[in-house]
Amino acid sequence: MRGAIVVDKERCKGCNLCAVACPLNIIRLTQKTVNKRGYAYAEQVVEGMCTGCTCCAQVCPDGCITVYRKR
Amino acid sequence: MTNQEIIQPENLVYKKPNLLNDKHMHYCPGCSHSVVHKLIAEVIEEMGMEDNAVGISPVGCAVFAYSYIDIDWIEAAHGRAPAIACATKRLWPENLVFTYQGDGDLACIGTAETIHSLNRGDNITIIFVNNAIYGMTGGQMAPTTLMGMKTVTCPYGRQADLHGYPLKMTEIAATLEGTCYVTRQAVHNVAHIRRAKAALRKAFEYSMQGKGSCLVEFVATCSSGWKMTPEAANQWMEDHMFPFYKLGDLKDKGSN
């Protein structure tokens, strides 16, 4: 089972709760870029490891994360 | 399998509920209010009550709740949300009516309205977000502030002789005859978010079945008011809030 996330980076406020919730630790906040509002935003840093468990999306306060999963 | 192959409409497993619109929420990063908003939108959508739900928004951080969830809303004066909800439910009994209140709104200025509405058994749900501080006005002491907790108006920590004791509104509500379902939940991790969503759905269903009033308390964080990162605030809440504000159902009369 493979998954992928899409982060609405303009809506993200960089609270880092998704990175804490991710059981595989593959989400990080950006280090050098920020969005229009000046927040570092979340992104999936390791491709190919996500299982699409939706933990990050469920804890995201602003609903920025959309999760896809394919068997 | 590349990400492009996975990111297709047929593989979608989770997205922001449609009722929660795209407007940028004014809440601070990591605020529990946003999670509660999301749960409300999800539950109303799952119940198919989009056109028959009326929310009463409070004064406090959640004052703009009406901007974010696309249902009908009424903005109440400070603390008076249960009174408006009571009238709304009596005039339109087929509607799902709920109030959304913080601790300053519900446990301080609106205590009388809240207790009397719950005691009358109005078929409404009161959603109570308790972060133990006045968040919007700059972090003052609230009735629910813990003993020894520092805020801008009790900089040496809350003391019993000077400030009195924290108020457990949910425990008080559980003793009232009119309440049907009283529960305390949290939304800081996935397990608790799922439990909280189930509790919210149960409360909404009971109030639609006319079983009495329901109170759902969410123990919440205020990372700005507590002056912590969202992650540290969640940890602080687990260590300090949960021992005093114990999670779980306090009363469930509806299942009988």
Side-chain angles (χ1 to χ4, degrees):
Chain A
M1 192 135 46
R2 286 277 311 276
I5 60 167
V6 177
V7 180
D8 183 344
K9 61 182 187 183
E10 291 306 331
R11 197 174 161 90
C12 178
K13 293 175 185 162
C15 69
N16 203 39
L17 292 181
C18 52
V20 175
C22 179
L24 300 167
N25 293 318
I26 54 171
I27 302 176
R28 295 270 184 285
L29 294 186
T30 52
Q31 299 296 314
K32 288 182 180 162
T33 46
V34 292
N35 62 17
K36 263 194 297 200
R37 291 172 193 267
Y39 294 117
Y41 51 87
E43 59 182 8
Q44 185 182 338
V45 282
V46 187
E47 247 194 59
M49 264 179 75
C50 178
T51 56
C53 70
T54 74
C55 284
C56 55
Q58 288 190 53
V59 299
C60 177
D62 294 85
C64 311
I65 304 179
T66 309
V67 185
Y68 298 86
R69 191 194 298 144
K70 192 172 182 182
R71 281 183 189 278
Chain B
M1 212 187 302
T2 62
N3 269 6
Q4 279 71 34
E5 285 170 356
I6 303 168
I7 300 169
Q8 298 294 334
E10 68 271 18
N11 299 333
L12 180 76
V13 283
Y14 188 94
K15 73 179 181 74
K16 176 171 77 71
N18 294 328
L19 269 188
L20 199 66
N21 61 30
D22 289 332
K23 190 167 178 187
H24 191 83
M25 292 205 233
H26 73 283
Y27 300 114
C28 306
C31 181
S32 308
H33 272 300
S34 321
V35 185
V36 180
H37 280 26
K38 201 167 70 170
L39 292 185
I40 292 172
E42 280 176 9
V43 170
I44 292 176
E45 231 173 71
E46 283 169 18
M47 289 174 73
M49 298 292 289
E50 293 96 329
D51 297 329
N52 302 315
V54 183
I56 320 292
S57 59
V59 171
C61 280
V63 68
F64 296 126
Y66 54 76
S67 301
Y68 307 129
I69 305 175
D70 286 335
I71 54 169
D72 291 328
W73 287 90
I74 302 172
E75 172 64 51
H78 205 350
R80 314 304 177 219
I84 296 182
C86 164
T88 311
K89 185 69 183 178
R90 281 161 197 236
L91 288 168
W92 291 297
E94 72 284 359
N95 282 19
L96 169 68
V97 182
F98 68 93
T99 73
Y100 187 104
Q101 299 174 268
D103 46 314
D105 193 80
L106 180 142
C108 186
I109 194 166
T111 316
E113 272 78 1
T114 306
I115 288 180
H116 285 293
S117 182
L118 290 170
N119 199 34
R120 279 194 303 266
D122 295 330
N123 294 314
I124 59 167
T125 299
I126 294 181
I127 295 165
F128 170 31
V129 180
N130 175 12
N131 56 14
I133 205 164
Y134 278 83
M136 187 186 73
T137 46
Q140 289 84 0
M141 189 182 75
T144 50
T145 298
L146 300 174
M147 297 309 295
M149 185 177 167
K150 289 176 181 170
T151 69
V152 296
T153 46
C154 52
Y156 304 109
R158 182 172 188 161
Q159 300 157 22
D161 52 347
L162 195 60
H163 309 111
Y165 296 93
L167 189 60
K168 288 182 173 175
M169 281 300 283
T170 306
E171 270 79 355
I172 295 172
T175 63
L176 302 174
E177 284 297 318
T179 51
C180 162
Y181 182 52
V182 178
T183 184
R184 186 182 280 127
Q185 302 290 333
V187 287
H188 63 299
N189 63 28
V190 179
H192 282 98
I193 288 173
R194 287 191 182 145
R195 250 174 264 160
K197 188 177 167 184
L200 194 60
R201 169 130 199 188
K202 195 189 243 186
F204 281 175
E205 278 172 355
Y206 283 169
S207 52
M208 283 315 290
Q209 289 160 8
K211 290 188 170 173
S213 48
C214 304
L215 177 73
V216 185
E217 173 179 346
F218 291 96
V219 182
T221 62
C222 178
S223 43
S224 299
W226 298 355
K227 300 180 173 52
M228 292 176 198
T229 62
E231 196 185 331
N234 278 347
Q235 191 57 49
W236 194 90
M237 175 171 73
E238 277 186 46
D239 296 342
H240 296 87
M241 299 273 281
F242 292 173
F244 188 75
Y245 296 115
K246 290 192 172 53
L247 302 185
D249 291 355
L250 281 85
K251 183 178 186 181
D252 187 356
K253 237 169 45 176
S255 54
N256 304 331

